[in-house]
Amino acid sequence: MDPLRLLLPRTQAQPLLPLPTGVPAPSVRPRLVPRGRARRHRNGAARMLPASAVASESPWTEQEPPSGEKEERFDWLDQWYPFAPVEDLDPGAPHGKMVLGIRVVAWYDRGAGEWRVFEDACPHRLAPLSEGRIDDKGRLQCVYHGWCFDGRGACKFIPQAPALGPPVHTNSKACVASYPCVVQNKLLWFYPRAGPEHADVLQRKRPPFIPEIDDPSFVTSFLIRDMPFGYDVLAENLMDPSHVPYAHKGLFRGLPRLVDPGREEYDKEGGVPMAVKVEESSVNGFASSQGPGYSKFVAPCTYYGSPASKKSEVRTWDGSKNWSVPS
Ligand code: FES
């Protein structure tokens, strides 16, 4: 069983998107977390537990759909996740972050001229490598006892090991898990599976590509903000235009007032039915149109929209695949 599944609150662990037509919904919704797992802060935000803590908790069961019915599942670990805009990362220091309950550290391997993303735990005593430093040879050095790692995660130096003793640093247990990563659209992305069988994942699957970000005729602004709730809540908010005249009252002046044919009563905010049409959907995302504009969601975390028309792009988008990738 995928341990990440245990980290997800019940509602998040379910496929967020409609099942394809012809696949009946299970009569009993699968219970994906043990009772009591989804703990909440007083402000309502779910609290993520470390994977080790989750694994030690009570066993749980998942009710399968009735036999013969295949539910299309979303594989949370077979995805690319944005770490940060590269312009926000200091190449002279490691940077820690938690993504879907996985603690990772990004650092710049100046010898190779590439960013790296490792598990943020030293193999010696599990100190966070994000608290370490880049040594004078350009390696990632743990702040606790000074072990040094190269860009592949191999331990290259253990200060306490005698020079004439066995080469303990070459032991595989001294290696750090290194995740596939790539810079695309000025963002550092990583893929949260570190095994050697995933080293070439870029050949098979790339992060969603947004051509406008690399197009100099567009202006790009990166914004990072910590929210006291999951990213999925924000993504759903961005997909929901009907909240704008109420939650953002007065902030968007000059927008045309929409009309609802046949309606006699409007409130002063001007809320009306939203003509959003889902053109395609699967567990991997959806494409929709709204008036002349359109939006696309590539699960798990890329949402892209425009008030301008690009209908041809929407209609050719295949929810089971990534968008076009740079050659
Ligand atoms: S915990 Fe990292 S070197 Fe000891």
Side-chain angles (χ1 to χ4, degrees), residues 122 124-127 129 142-147:
C122 178
H124 179 214
R125 294 287 307 281
L126 304 181
L129 292 168
C142 179
V143 73
Y144 201 176
H145 306 93
W147 292 24

Side-chain angles (χ1 to χ4, degrees), residues 107-122:
W107 65 284
Y108 188 67
D109 177 3
R110 69 172 185 255
E114 294 179 2
W115 285 93
R116 308 291 189 189
V117 177
F118 286 1
E119 180 181 13
D120 192 11
C122 178

Side-chain angles (χ1 to χ4, degrees), residues 95 121 132 169:
H95 304 268
H169 67 280

Side-chain angles (χ1 to χ4, degrees), residues 258-266 271-273:
L258 300 175
V259 296
D260 177 24
R263 175 180 297 209
E264 295 180 356
E265 179 186 349
Y266 291 88
V272 293

Side-chain angles (χ1 to χ4, degrees), residues 186 211-219:
K186 304 171 188 171
E212 287 85 350
I213 293 180
D214 292 344
D215 184 340
S217 66
F218 283 77
V219 174

Side-chain angles (χ1 to χ4, degrees), residues 87-100:
E87 68 181 16
D88 287 353
L89 299 174
D90 176 359
H95 304 268
K97 185 166 284 189
M98 173 130 64
V99 179
L100 288 181

